[in-house]
Amino acid sequence: MALRVMPSLPHLTAQERENIRQACGFACVRCGVTIYRYLGLPADARDPGGATLLCPTCHGLVEEGRLTPGQVNSFHANPVVRQRHFARD
């Protein structure tokens, strides 16, 4: 049983949500899906108060322990949609 390492953030203001969307490229930072949730970064993040965007599938991988907090922080630092030649079919 995995611990919930990335809590949902329903209390964000509209401005905070806008800033997070802009920073994450308006999509899940791991796969680029545009259906996403606002989630707190894992505890070992460089910015403990930070937030990121993950789709339900990628968030499930984190909660199952199949993605580590370090991997999540890496995806957040370099979202897939901001990488060269990214295209969503």
Side-chain angles (χ1 to χ4, degrees):
M1 180 171 83
L3 298 173
R4 290 192 57 89
V5 294
M6 297 185 70
S8 290
L9 301 173
H11 61 281
L12 296 172
T13 66
Q15 183 62 46
E16 290 170 327
R17 288 176 185 265
E18 181 180 335
N19 293 342
I20 294 166
R21 284 192 309 269
Q22 181 71 32
C24 295
F26 300 92
C28 173
V29 295
R30 179 178 174 266
C31 69
V33 168
T34 56
I35 299 171
Y36 51 77
R37 297 177 61 194
Y38 296 89
L39 301 165
L41 283 167
D44 71 345
R46 292 179 191 102
D47 179 10
T52 195
L53 301 177
L54 284 178
C55 69
T57 302
C58 293
H59 183 229
L61 293 174
V62 173
E63 297 303 326
E64 292 170 7
R66 294 173 60 196
L67 284 177
T68 66
Q71 288 173 312
V72 173
N73 289 318
S74 176
F75 292 129
H76 177 73
N78 187 22
V80 69
V81 298
R82 300 236 189 257
Q83 295 175 15
R84 189 172 184 187
H85 302 299
F86 173 79
R88 189 90 186 139
D89 292 339

